[in-house]
Amino acid sequence: MTLQAWIDGVFTGSIYALVALSLAIVYQPTRVMNFAQGEALILGAVVGYQVISLGKLGWVVAILATLALATLMGVLSERMIMLPVRLSGSRFAWIVATLAAALIFQSIFTLGYRDVDALRPAPMAEGGFTLAGEQVSWQIVLTVAIALAVMAGYDLLLRRSTYGRAIRAASHNPGTAVLMGIPVQRIIVLSFVVATVLSALAGLLAAPVLFIGPAAGLIFTIKGFTAAVIGGVGSPRGALAGGLIVGVLDSVVRTEINATAGNLVVFGLLALILLVYPSGLFGKPMEAH
Amino acid sequence: MSLLEITALSAGYGGVQALFGVELTVGEGEFVALLGPNGAGKSTTLRVLSGLIKPSAGRVLLGGEDITTKPGWRRTGLGLGHVPEGRQVFPDHTVLENLQLGAFVHRRSRTRRQELLDEVLALFPRLDERREQLAGTLSGGEAQMLAVGRALMSAPRLLVLDEPSLGLAPLKVAELFGYIKRLHTERGLSVLLVEQQAATALNLADRAYVLERGRVAISGTSDAVRKDPRVQAVYLGGEISPATG
Amino acid sequence: MLKRRSCKRNADWDWRPGVHKSTVGIVVLSVAVALTATGCSGKEAGGKPPIKIGIIGPMSGPLAVLGISQQNSIQVEIDRLNAAGGIDGAQLQLVTRDSGLDPGKAVQAATELAGDQQIKLVVGPSLTAFYNAAKGVFEQNKKINCQPGVASGSFAELGYGFRSQDATELDVAKALGYLKSKGAKNVGLIYEGDDTGKSVDAILAKEAAGAGLTYLGFQSTRPDDQSHSAYMDAFKDAEAIFYSSNVGGAKTLAAAGAAGYKGILIGAGSGAQNISFIEGAGDAARGIVFPAPNYQYPTRDREQWRPGYRKHIEAVEQKYGVNTGPKTGATSPKGTALAADCVFAYAEAVKAAGGTDPDKVAAAMEKLDLAADTTPSGNAIKPGQAHEFYGEQDIRLYQWDKDDKGWFTRELPN
């Protein structure tokens, strides 16, 4: 078992964890698992590529542009997904609506960058250091640190702040939350915006290290989804744990055995965890809705 | 001017009309009961009041302000306190957190929130004892107290209670109504009580309305309503076999 | 839309990314194609009906660069031949079919073109899986087929199919010779776990020892890998690593760069000539080596280019322009000279056979022996019984590097 595989796994795992957290943020008040979540990550990579690689405008502009565009994308996603979900009586409307949103965003990205295999800007933090003979780039350290900080911050917000309690209340019982004067609809829009911004930042941070193609959104959605389900949907700690499990397990198994086994083990574990802990490692049993 | 004025209210669900020109007022400091069998339109009236459905005609005025088209969550800040049917406490939040959620409209003022919390906990010492407990673990009576306390946390001008006695043991019902009576008499809180237990409600209320098939069938002081032969026959005598649908 | 593409003449395919530019570009292009479509149908000269040449390839979707480049080069070669009076007294005309990323479409197009008596030569469909699905159709219909985009498999048993690309075996053999000359002791392979990856693995397992190398094994990669550092880690002490010709190759290079790998990185095919490698891997591509048939474009000194190649590429540049990597500025022509060789060789074979009878043309193709200086690709064409246009002597080794003027390759001495 090599250290490099662990470093890799922790890095990709923290990216998956951010996607898993984003999925949970939207899921809580809406009960919608947003299959378009990964597209927000691509948005971050696209902005990094466009602003840093092509525009040579630097990271500050890239971060600002990501925040602005992700906010817009979040508001747009809420309309594209929640409107059909509300108008349609079908229990499965969210599947169609989120997949449609995913395909629409994916088409926009692939049209814009159809010959770009990898949206890879230069790293925000150049260089790296050596840890027990292994190269670790600062970008990896920075990304993991930011992911952990975001996760801890969101956990704190959810548990300690008035808004966090309101979000949890809206998640449990939107009808009653409205009676408390909680603007549930605004919380839903805000959730889409926060989730999109977090995923886009993950994409911006990861793009210099990973190979993120314009059509890779669904892959990240699936990895994030797996992480969220393993960890327990709705809990930031679960997202973190799930993300790290998916990332490290895939990376280590891939190194120790082979690539196909990596996916096999991860999805096998997913199946096993769902059998033993139906609501994930950190999740509370989901009530019917 | 009344605190709550509902005029010519009609409403329905997907083309099926449930309310036909309902008129209802609650005066400042008044205790009003809204009675009627299941399906008479009590719940629909409350849904319109809380903003869950939009009326097809008529107006709702709170303290003289037209709130007919205001989104539901804004009405809490204007003075409507809700104790929803079935209590609907947040089971994964602690008792304290449930109460704090009730004060969401006062989130900008920490001192106001603390004042309200102290008042409510003084009123319901049992909730104070259980403040760190998850609301999901409370007994039915305690949960109902929490629901009332939570509604009081918004410092409402009008407290709206939807079937609070439902599912409670008779002793608990008496205790609960004792609290509500005290709130009304000692603090002058205006109350709109929706109840099926007509006798109990009429004992508490100053005035009452009886809804039947979406219309106000009988209204007046509690005494007058109690003496109405129809009420006598259907509700009071009928506590044993209420004519519910 | 597909039919119209066939007579598109001046559509300037700007592949450079950029949201506004490409979206607007696509709209303008579609309009332009639609407008010119009506005026370019039957250009029949000299009484004889035109000889139609079909191309099947990805003209849309993520691999559109491949199909469009082949189409451009073929069009340039057709224009050149037509200007010289056509072949067998007839003018040539190009018919394009878009396979996108759908093998079903490729088979459908192959069936349609193979059944069309006016079509005498079909180029493509590119990509091994697509070709394997379609090749039987050409044999049954006795249609001359030329393949500039399929690296693995054998063409020897085919009656009418020829390959105008470097076979994987040739590339790997060349690369092994290079590693031997550098004194490398061992080598590993990082490649997609697909047919090509497996065939390279098989070749290395068999041939590495002959070059004095220990074969360290095959790390098969997945399309959903976002990083290859796990595979790189397995070979961190290897003296040389074979990387893939596909997008995975660039991931390997990037991972090697990140890990500070000091050994030799060598292509298991000619894919690294594609500037998307440089775009993806960035500076990690400096110093990488790849085997390829003549590809002098990034070598800069045009005086050294083989005459036929230079003429062809400059005609492509003039007509279609140059691809420029938006990030790195690396350039490539908007054409694939190997595809032009298909038309060039076909014209020579028709000349030798005295007509377009497929059996006679196929026989004449086998006997062709065209000098490297004359062909559009700059490689000698000598198909023989193997039906392979190019032989061992046509494979060269190139190395990517970068200086203050940008990216370039140098040809390594044999």
Side-chain angles (χ1 to χ4, degrees), chain A residues 2 8 16 49 54 112 114-116 120 134 211 250 254 259, chain C residues 13 15 17-18 65 220 222 225-226 229 233 236 280 326-327:
Chain A
T2 63
D8 256 29
Y16 299 156
Y49 181 75
L54 305 189
R114 86 190 98 99
D115 296 314
V116 183
R120 276 186 92 220
E134 302 287 353
F211 265 66
D250 188 19
R254 202 158 48 169
Chain C
W13 191 267
W15 82 287
V65 185
S220 81
R222 297 196 312 240
D225 286 327
Q226 285 111 29
S229 45
D233 197 43
K236 61 182 170 189
K327 199 167 98 180

PDB file of all heavy atoms in Angstrom, chain A residues 2 8 16 49 54 112 114-116 120 134 211 250 254 259, chain C residues 13 15 17-18 65 220 222 225-226 229 233 236 280 326-327:
ATOM      1  N   THR A   2       0.671   2.101  -0.967  1.00  0.00           N
ATOM      2  CA  THR A   2       1.590   3.226  -1.102  1.00  0.00           C
ATOM      3  C   THR A   2       0.942   4.518  -0.614  1.00  0.00           C
ATOM      4  O   THR A   2      -0.260   4.695  -0.670  1.00  0.00           O
ATOM      5  CB  THR A   2       1.989   3.401  -2.572  1.00  0.00           C
ATOM      6  OG1 THR A   2       0.821   3.718  -3.302  1.00  0.00           O
ATOM      7  CG2 THR A   2       2.639   2.155  -3.106  1.00  0.00           C
ATOM      8  N   ASP A   8      -3.646  10.674  -3.320  1.00  0.00           N
ATOM      9  CA  ASP A   8      -4.592  10.770  -4.436  1.00  0.00           C
ATOM     10  C   ASP A   8      -6.031  10.591  -3.990  1.00  0.00           C
ATOM     11  O   ASP A   8      -6.923  11.326  -4.378  1.00  0.00           O
ATOM     12  CB  ASP A   8      -4.307   9.617  -5.401  1.00  0.00           C
ATOM     13  CG  ASP A   8      -3.578  10.092  -6.602  1.00  0.00           C
ATOM     14  OD1 ASP A   8      -2.840  11.076  -6.453  1.00  0.00           O
ATOM     15  OD2 ASP A   8      -3.771   9.488  -7.659  1.00  0.00           O
ATOM     16  N   TYR A  16     -15.122  14.678  -4.230  1.00  0.00           N
ATOM     17  CA  TYR A  16     -16.394  13.943  -4.211  1.00  0.00           C
ATOM     18  C   TYR A  16     -17.222  14.383  -3.009  1.00  0.00           C
ATOM     19  O   TYR A  16     -18.453  14.492  -3.083  1.00  0.00           O
ATOM     20  CB  TYR A  16     -16.164  12.440  -4.133  1.00  0.00           C
ATOM     21  CG  TYR A  16     -15.399  11.843  -5.289  1.00  0.00           C
ATOM     22  CD1 TYR A  16     -14.694  10.651  -5.151  1.00  0.00           C
ATOM     23  CD2 TYR A  16     -15.375  12.476  -6.534  1.00  0.00           C
ATOM     24  CE1 TYR A  16     -13.990  10.108  -6.206  1.00  0.00           C
ATOM     25  CE2 TYR A  16     -14.669  11.940  -7.585  1.00  0.00           C
ATOM     26  CZ  TYR A  16     -13.977  10.752  -7.421  1.00  0.00           C
ATOM     27  OH  TYR A  16     -13.292  10.210  -8.456  1.00  0.00           O
ATOM     28  N   TYR A  49     -10.361  27.358 -16.828  1.00  0.00           N
ATOM     29  CA  TYR A  49      -9.699  27.234 -18.129  1.00  0.00           C
ATOM     30  C   TYR A  49      -9.811  28.525 -18.926  1.00  0.00           C
ATOM     31  O   TYR A  49      -8.834  29.041 -19.466  1.00  0.00           O
ATOM     32  CB  TYR A  49     -10.351  26.075 -18.892  1.00  0.00           C
ATOM     33  CG  TYR A  49      -9.775  25.798 -20.253  1.00  0.00           C
ATOM     34  CD1 TYR A  49      -8.549  25.159 -20.381  1.00  0.00           C
ATOM     35  CD2 TYR A  49     -10.461  26.168 -21.410  1.00  0.00           C
ATOM     36  CE1 TYR A  49      -8.023  24.890 -21.627  1.00  0.00           C
ATOM     37  CE2 TYR A  49      -9.944  25.898 -22.659  1.00  0.00           C
ATOM     38  CZ  TYR A  49      -8.714  25.260 -22.763  1.00  0.00           C
ATOM     39  OH  TYR A  49      -8.205  25.002 -24.006  1.00  0.00           O
ATOM     40  N   LEU A  54      -6.752  30.745 -20.819  1.00  0.00           N
ATOM     41  CA  LEU A  54      -6.904  31.490 -22.074  1.00  0.00           C
ATOM     42  C   LEU A  54      -6.852  32.988 -21.828  1.00  0.00           C
ATOM     43  O   LEU A  54      -6.197  33.716 -22.551  1.00  0.00           O
ATOM     44  CB  LEU A  54      -8.222  31.114 -22.763  1.00  0.00           C
ATOM     45  CG  LEU A  54      -8.418  29.623 -23.031  1.00  0.00           C
ATOM     46  CD1 LEU A  54      -9.651  29.395 -23.901  1.00  0.00           C
ATOM     47  CD2 LEU A  54      -7.209  29.004 -23.690  1.00  0.00           C
ATOM     48  N   GLY A 112     -19.236  24.599 -26.297  1.00  0.00           N
ATOM     49  CA  GLY A 112     -18.243  25.659 -26.106  1.00  0.00           C
ATOM     50  C   GLY A 112     -16.813  25.141 -26.147  1.00  0.00           C
ATOM     51  O   GLY A 112     -15.913  25.837 -26.589  1.00  0.00           O
ATOM     52  N   ARG A 114     -15.620  21.899 -27.381  1.00  0.00           N
ATOM     53  CA  ARG A 114     -15.817  20.553 -27.881  1.00  0.00           C
ATOM     54  C   ARG A 114     -14.514  19.830 -28.184  1.00  0.00           C
ATOM     55  O   ARG A 114     -14.492  18.624 -28.233  1.00  0.00           O
ATOM     56  CB  ARG A 114     -16.750  20.576 -29.089  1.00  0.00           C
ATOM     57  CG  ARG A 114     -16.134  20.834 -30.422  1.00  0.00           C
ATOM     58  CD  ARG A 114     -17.237  21.054 -31.415  1.00  0.00           C
ATOM     59  NE  ARG A 114     -17.382  22.481 -31.566  1.00  0.00           N
ATOM     60  CZ  ARG A 114     -16.844  23.133 -32.583  1.00  0.00           C
ATOM     61  NH1 ARG A 114     -16.192  22.492 -33.510  1.00  0.00           N
ATOM     62  NH2 ARG A 114     -16.957  24.440 -32.675  1.00  0.00           N
ATOM     63  N   ASP A 115     -13.423  20.551 -28.370  1.00  0.00           N
ATOM     64  CA  ASP A 115     -12.181  19.847 -28.663  1.00  0.00           C
ATOM     65  C   ASP A 115     -11.207  19.896 -27.510  1.00  0.00           C
ATOM     66  O   ASP A 115     -10.031  19.606 -27.672  1.00  0.00           O
ATOM     67  CB  ASP A 115     -11.547  20.430 -29.921  1.00  0.00           C
ATOM     68  CG  ASP A 115     -12.437  20.195 -31.114  1.00  0.00           C
ATOM     69  OD1 ASP A 115     -12.912  19.067 -31.257  1.00  0.00           O
ATOM     70  OD2 ASP A 115     -12.683  21.140 -31.868  1.00  0.00           O
ATOM     71  N   VAL A 116     -11.687  20.273 -26.347  1.00  0.00           N
ATOM     72  CA  VAL A 116     -10.806  20.324 -25.186  1.00  0.00           C
ATOM     73  C   VAL A 116     -10.980  19.044 -24.381  1.00  0.00           C
ATOM     74  O   VAL A 116     -12.046  18.756 -23.877  1.00  0.00           O
ATOM     75  CB  VAL A 116     -11.139  21.560 -24.320  1.00  0.00           C
ATOM     76  CG1 VAL A 116     -10.172  21.650 -23.160  1.00  0.00           C
ATOM     77  CG2 VAL A 116     -11.073  22.814 -25.161  1.00  0.00           C
ATOM     78  N   ARG A 120      -7.725  22.296 -18.037  1.00  0.00           N
ATOM     79  CA  ARG A 120      -6.675  22.286 -17.010  1.00  0.00           C
ATOM     80  C   ARG A 120      -5.935  23.604 -16.941  1.00  0.00           C
ATOM     81  O   ARG A 120      -5.001  23.840 -17.679  1.00  0.00           O
ATOM     82  CB  ARG A 120      -5.654  21.194 -17.314  1.00  0.00           C
ATOM     83  CG  ARG A 120      -6.023  19.841 -16.818  1.00  0.00           C
ATOM     84  CD  ARG A 120      -4.879  18.871 -17.044  1.00  0.00           C
ATOM     85  NE  ARG A 120      -3.993  18.782 -15.910  1.00  0.00           N
ATOM     86  CZ  ARG A 120      -2.672  18.691 -15.995  1.00  0.00           C
ATOM     87  NH1 ARG A 120      -2.066  18.741 -17.133  1.00  0.00           N
ATOM     88  NH2 ARG A 120      -1.955  18.574 -14.896  1.00  0.00           N
ATOM     89  N   GLU A 134       7.284  11.168  -1.407  1.00  0.00           N
ATOM     90  CA  GLU A 134       6.234  11.350  -2.413  1.00  0.00           C
ATOM     91  C   GLU A 134       6.016  12.839  -2.668  1.00  0.00           C
ATOM     92  O   GLU A 134       6.029  13.644  -1.736  1.00  0.00           O
ATOM     93  CB  GLU A 134       4.909  10.734  -1.917  1.00  0.00           C
ATOM     94  CG  GLU A 134       4.990   9.263  -1.578  1.00  0.00           C
ATOM     95  CD  GLU A 134       5.081   8.384  -2.808  1.00  0.00           C
ATOM     96  OE1 GLU A 134       4.946   8.913  -3.932  1.00  0.00           O
ATOM     97  OE2 GLU A 134       5.289   7.166  -2.649  1.00  0.00           O
ATOM     98  N   PHE A 211      -8.032  15.649 -14.687  1.00  0.00           N
ATOM     99  CA  PHE A 211      -8.423  15.871 -16.080  1.00  0.00           C
ATOM    100  C   PHE A 211      -9.937  15.981 -16.110  1.00  0.00           C
ATOM    101  O   PHE A 211     -10.635  14.986 -15.987  1.00  0.00           O
ATOM    102  CB  PHE A 211      -7.979  14.698 -16.952  1.00  0.00           C
ATOM    103  CG  PHE A 211      -6.667  14.943 -17.619  1.00  0.00           C
ATOM    104  CD1 PHE A 211      -5.524  15.054 -16.861  1.00  0.00           C
ATOM    105  CD2 PHE A 211      -6.582  15.090 -18.997  1.00  0.00           C
ATOM    106  CE1 PHE A 211      -4.302  15.280 -17.462  1.00  0.00           C
ATOM    107  CE2 PHE A 211      -5.361  15.322 -19.607  1.00  0.00           C
ATOM    108  CZ  PHE A 211      -4.217  15.415 -18.843  1.00  0.00           C
ATOM    109  N   ASP A 250     -11.113   3.639  -4.035  1.00  0.00           N
ATOM    110  CA  ASP A 250     -10.898   3.494  -5.478  1.00  0.00           C
ATOM    111  C   ASP A 250      -9.414   3.599  -5.790  1.00  0.00           C
ATOM    112  O   ASP A 250      -8.855   2.780  -6.506  1.00  0.00           O
ATOM    113  CB  ASP A 250     -11.703   4.564  -6.219  1.00  0.00           C
ATOM    114  CG  ASP A 250     -11.678   4.340  -7.718  1.00  0.00           C
ATOM    115  OD1 ASP A 250     -11.366   3.211  -8.131  1.00  0.00           O
ATOM    116  OD2 ASP A 250     -11.973   5.286  -8.462  1.00  0.00           O
ATOM    117  N   ARG A 254      -7.182   0.462  -6.969  1.00  0.00           N
ATOM    118  CA  ARG A 254      -6.683   0.623  -8.327  1.00  0.00           C
ATOM    119  C   ARG A 254      -5.181   0.391  -8.364  1.00  0.00           C
ATOM    120  O   ARG A 254      -4.650  -0.218  -9.280  1.00  0.00           O
ATOM    121  CB  ARG A 254      -7.015   2.036  -8.800  1.00  0.00           C
ATOM    122  CG  ARG A 254      -7.053   2.198 -10.258  1.00  0.00           C
ATOM    123  CD  ARG A 254      -7.865   3.397 -10.633  1.00  0.00           C
ATOM    124  NE  ARG A 254      -7.483   4.577  -9.849  1.00  0.00           N
ATOM    125  CZ  ARG A 254      -7.898   5.797 -10.146  1.00  0.00           C
ATOM    126  NH1 ARG A 254      -8.659   5.992 -11.171  1.00  0.00           N
ATOM    127  NH2 ARG A 254      -7.551   6.812  -9.401  1.00  0.00           N
ATOM    128  N   ALA A 259      -7.647  -1.304 -12.223  1.00  0.00           N
ATOM    129  CA  ALA A 259      -8.613  -0.223 -12.371  1.00  0.00           C
ATOM    130  C   ALA A 259     -10.051  -0.714 -12.269  1.00  0.00           C
ATOM    131  O   ALA A 259     -10.879  -0.101 -11.599  1.00  0.00           O
ATOM    132  CB  ALA A 259      -8.388   0.465 -13.710  1.00  0.00           C
TER     133      ALA A 259
ATOM    134  N   TRP C  13     -13.182  25.642 -40.847  1.00  0.00           N
ATOM    135  CA  TRP C  13     -13.504  24.998 -39.589  1.00  0.00           C
ATOM    136  C   TRP C  13     -12.587  25.526 -38.501  1.00  0.00           C
ATOM    137  O   TRP C  13     -11.420  25.207 -38.432  1.00  0.00           O
ATOM    138  CB  TRP C  13     -13.376  23.479 -39.717  1.00  0.00           C
ATOM    139  CG  TRP C  13     -13.962  22.826 -38.536  1.00  0.00           C
ATOM    140  CD1 TRP C  13     -13.306  22.463 -37.407  1.00  0.00           C
ATOM    141  CD2 TRP C  13     -15.335  22.516 -38.329  1.00  0.00           C
ATOM    142  NE1 TRP C  13     -14.186  21.941 -36.509  1.00  0.00           N
ATOM    143  CE2 TRP C  13     -15.439  21.954 -37.040  1.00  0.00           C
ATOM    144  CE3 TRP C  13     -16.502  22.660 -39.089  1.00  0.00           C
ATOM    145  CZ2 TRP C  13     -16.648  21.536 -36.523  1.00  0.00           C
ATOM    146  CZ3 TRP C  13     -17.687  22.246 -38.557  1.00  0.00           C
ATOM    147  CH2 TRP C  13     -17.759  21.685 -37.297  1.00  0.00           C
ATOM    148  N   TRP C  15     -11.660  25.229 -34.991  1.00  0.00           N
ATOM    149  CA  TRP C  15     -11.906  24.284 -33.908  1.00  0.00           C
ATOM    150  C   TRP C  15     -11.618  24.889 -32.558  1.00  0.00           C
ATOM    151  O   TRP C  15     -11.891  24.289 -31.539  1.00  0.00           O
ATOM    152  CB  TRP C  15     -11.039  23.042 -34.094  1.00  0.00           C
ATOM    153  CG  TRP C  15      -9.651  23.215 -33.596  1.00  0.00           C
ATOM    154  CD1 TRP C  15      -8.665  23.962 -34.171  1.00  0.00           C
ATOM    155  CD2 TRP C  15      -9.086  22.682 -32.396  1.00  0.00           C
ATOM    156  NE1 TRP C  15      -7.542  23.912 -33.417  1.00  0.00           N
ATOM    157  CE2 TRP C  15      -7.762  23.117 -32.318  1.00  0.00           C
ATOM    158  CE3 TRP C  15      -9.572  21.856 -31.380  1.00  0.00           C
ATOM    159  CZ2 TRP C  15      -6.927  22.790 -31.269  1.00  0.00           C
ATOM    160  CZ3 TRP C  15      -8.721  21.530 -30.346  1.00  0.00           C
ATOM    161  CH2 TRP C  15      -7.412  21.993 -30.287  1.00  0.00           C
ATOM    162  N   PRO C  17     -11.667  26.448 -29.082  1.00  0.00           N
ATOM    163  CA  PRO C  17     -12.762  26.611 -28.130  1.00  0.00           C
ATOM    164  C   PRO C  17     -12.988  28.063 -27.765  1.00  0.00           C
ATOM    165  O   PRO C  17     -12.179  28.927 -28.075  1.00  0.00           O
ATOM    166  CB  PRO C  17     -12.287  25.838 -26.905  1.00  0.00           C
ATOM    167  CG  PRO C  17     -11.106  25.072 -27.319  1.00  0.00           C
ATOM    168  CD  PRO C  17     -10.525  25.791 -28.491  1.00  0.00           C
ATOM    169  N   GLY C  18     -14.020  28.288 -27.086  1.00  0.00           N
ATOM    170  CA  GLY C  18     -14.411  29.639 -26.705  1.00  0.00           C
ATOM    171  C   GLY C  18     -15.907  29.663 -26.875  1.00  0.00           C
ATOM    172  O   GLY C  18     -16.392  29.408 -27.963  1.00  0.00           O
ATOM    173  N   VAL C  65     -12.784  16.621 -34.847  1.00  0.00           N
ATOM    174  CA  VAL C  65     -11.502  17.054 -35.427  1.00  0.00           C
ATOM    175  C   VAL C  65     -10.940  15.981 -36.346  1.00  0.00           C
ATOM    176  O   VAL C  65     -10.443  16.266 -37.432  1.00  0.00           O
ATOM    177  CB  VAL C  65     -10.474  17.339 -34.307  1.00  0.00           C
ATOM    178  CG1 VAL C  65      -9.202  17.908 -34.893  1.00  0.00           C
ATOM    179  CG2 VAL C  65     -11.054  18.285 -33.290  1.00  0.00           C
ATOM    180  N   SER C 220      -4.076  -1.023 -16.757  1.00  0.00           N
ATOM    181  CA  SER C 220      -5.159  -0.628 -17.656  1.00  0.00           C
ATOM    182  C   SER C 220      -5.994   0.464 -17.009  1.00  0.00           C
ATOM    183  O   SER C 220      -6.355   0.379 -15.841  1.00  0.00           O
ATOM    184  CB  SER C 220      -6.008  -1.840 -18.032  1.00  0.00           C
ATOM    185  OG  SER C 220      -6.911  -2.123 -17.012  1.00  0.00           O
ATOM    186  N   ARG C 222      -9.117   3.607 -16.890  1.00  0.00           N
ATOM    187  CA  ARG C 222     -10.570   3.700 -17.092  1.00  0.00           C
ATOM    188  C   ARG C 222     -10.897   5.045 -17.700  1.00  0.00           C
ATOM    189  O   ARG C 222     -10.229   6.028 -17.421  1.00  0.00           O
ATOM    190  CB  ARG C 222     -11.289   3.618 -15.746  1.00  0.00           C
ATOM    191  CG  ARG C 222     -11.119   2.360 -14.988  1.00  0.00           C
ATOM    192  CD  ARG C 222     -12.177   2.262 -13.881  1.00  0.00           C
ATOM    193  NE  ARG C 222     -12.310   3.456 -13.076  1.00  0.00           N
ATOM    194  CZ  ARG C 222     -12.112   3.494 -11.764  1.00  0.00           C
ATOM    195  NH1 ARG C 222     -11.744   2.408 -11.125  1.00  0.00           N
ATOM    196  NH2 ARG C 222     -12.276   4.608 -11.091  1.00  0.00           N
ATOM    197  N   ASP C 225     -11.205   7.856 -15.144  1.00  0.00           N
ATOM    198  CA  ASP C 225     -10.058   8.316 -14.353  1.00  0.00           C
ATOM    199  C   ASP C 225      -9.888   9.803 -14.552  1.00  0.00           C
ATOM    200  O   ASP C 225      -9.828  10.275 -15.682  1.00  0.00           O
ATOM    201  CB  ASP C 225      -8.766   7.652 -14.866  1.00  0.00           C
ATOM    202  CG  ASP C 225      -8.672   6.201 -14.480  1.00  0.00           C
ATOM    203  OD1 ASP C 225      -9.165   5.853 -13.415  1.00  0.00           O
ATOM    204  OD2 ASP C 225      -8.093   5.437 -15.266  1.00  0.00           O
ATOM    205  N   GLN C 226      -9.798  10.516 -13.438  1.00  0.00           N
ATOM    206  CA  GLN C 226      -9.499  11.930 -13.609  1.00  0.00           C
ATOM    207  C   GLN C 226      -8.019  12.191 -13.400  1.00  0.00           C
ATOM    208  O   GLN C 226      -7.529  13.278 -13.644  1.00  0.00           O
ATOM    209  CB  GLN C 226     -10.332  12.765 -12.643  1.00  0.00           C
ATOM    210  CG  GLN C 226     -11.769  12.860 -13.073  1.00  0.00           C
ATOM    211  CD  GLN C 226     -12.668  12.094 -12.120  1.00  0.00           C
ATOM    212  OE1 GLN C 226     -12.377  11.958 -10.959  1.00  0.00           O
ATOM    213  NE2 GLN C 226     -13.772  11.606 -12.628  1.00  0.00           N
ATOM    214  N   SER C 229      -2.259   9.276 -11.459  1.00  0.00           N
ATOM    215  CA  SER C 229      -1.110   9.165 -10.556  1.00  0.00           C
ATOM    216  C   SER C 229      -1.038   7.804  -9.877  1.00  0.00           C
ATOM    217  O   SER C 229       0.049   7.344  -9.541  1.00  0.00           O
ATOM    218  CB  SER C 229      -1.091  10.305  -9.544  1.00  0.00           C
ATOM    219  OG  SER C 229      -2.352  10.494  -9.011  1.00  0.00           O
ATOM    220  N   ASP C 233       2.285   5.682 -10.069  1.00  0.00           N
ATOM    221  CA  ASP C 233       2.930   5.254  -8.842  1.00  0.00           C
ATOM    222  C   ASP C 233       3.455   3.824  -8.962  1.00  0.00           C
ATOM    223  O   ASP C 233       4.521   3.490  -8.449  1.00  0.00           O
ATOM    224  CB  ASP C 233       1.911   5.356  -7.706  1.00  0.00           C
ATOM    225  CG  ASP C 233       2.594   5.331  -6.357  1.00  0.00           C
ATOM    226  OD1 ASP C 233       3.634   6.011  -6.225  1.00  0.00           O
ATOM    227  OD2 ASP C 233       2.102   4.637  -5.470  1.00  0.00           O
ATOM    228  N   LYS C 236       6.854   3.983 -10.767  1.00  0.00           N
ATOM    229  CA  LYS C 236       7.718   5.130 -10.492  1.00  0.00           C
ATOM    230  C   LYS C 236       9.197   4.787 -10.630  1.00  0.00           C
ATOM    231  O   LYS C 236      10.008   5.661 -10.891  1.00  0.00           O
ATOM    232  CB  LYS C 236       7.410   5.735  -9.125  1.00  0.00           C
ATOM    233  CG  LYS C 236       7.621   4.800  -7.961  1.00  0.00           C
ATOM    234  CD  LYS C 236       7.229   5.477  -6.665  1.00  0.00           C
ATOM    235  CE  LYS C 236       7.214   4.459  -5.550  1.00  0.00           C
ATOM    236  NZ  LYS C 236       6.658   4.985  -4.326  1.00  0.00           N
ATOM    237  N   GLY C 280      -3.524  19.073 -23.034  1.00  0.00           N
ATOM    238  CA  GLY C 280      -3.904  18.394 -21.810  1.00  0.00           C
ATOM    239  C   GLY C 280      -2.756  18.288 -20.825  1.00  0.00           C
ATOM    240  O   GLY C 280      -2.910  18.567 -19.643  1.00  0.00           O
ATOM    241  N   PRO C 326      -5.529  26.502 -27.857  1.00  0.00           N
ATOM    242  CA  PRO C 326      -5.835  27.790 -27.241  1.00  0.00           C
ATOM    243  C   PRO C 326      -4.981  28.073 -26.005  1.00  0.00           C
ATOM    244  O   PRO C 326      -4.715  29.217 -25.699  1.00  0.00           O
ATOM    245  CB  PRO C 326      -7.311  27.672 -26.860  1.00  0.00           C
ATOM    246  CG  PRO C 326      -7.619  26.227 -26.875  1.00  0.00           C
ATOM    247  CD  PRO C 326      -6.680  25.598 -27.859  1.00  0.00           C
ATOM    248  N   LYS C 327      -4.521  27.027 -25.361  1.00  0.00           N
ATOM    249  CA  LYS C 327      -3.794  27.218 -24.113  1.00  0.00           C
ATOM    250  C   LYS C 327      -2.296  27.297 -24.366  1.00  0.00           C
ATOM    251  O   LYS C 327      -1.617  28.140 -23.817  1.00  0.00           O
ATOM    252  CB  LYS C 327      -4.110  26.025 -23.200  1.00  0.00           C
ATOM    253  CG  LYS C 327      -3.841  26.247 -21.752  1.00  0.00           C
ATOM    254  CD  LYS C 327      -4.475  25.143 -20.930  1.00  0.00           C
ATOM    255  CE  LYS C 327      -3.446  24.088 -20.587  1.00  0.00           C
ATOM    256  NZ  LYS C 327      -4.013  22.984 -19.795  1.00  0.00           N
TER     257      LYS C 327
END
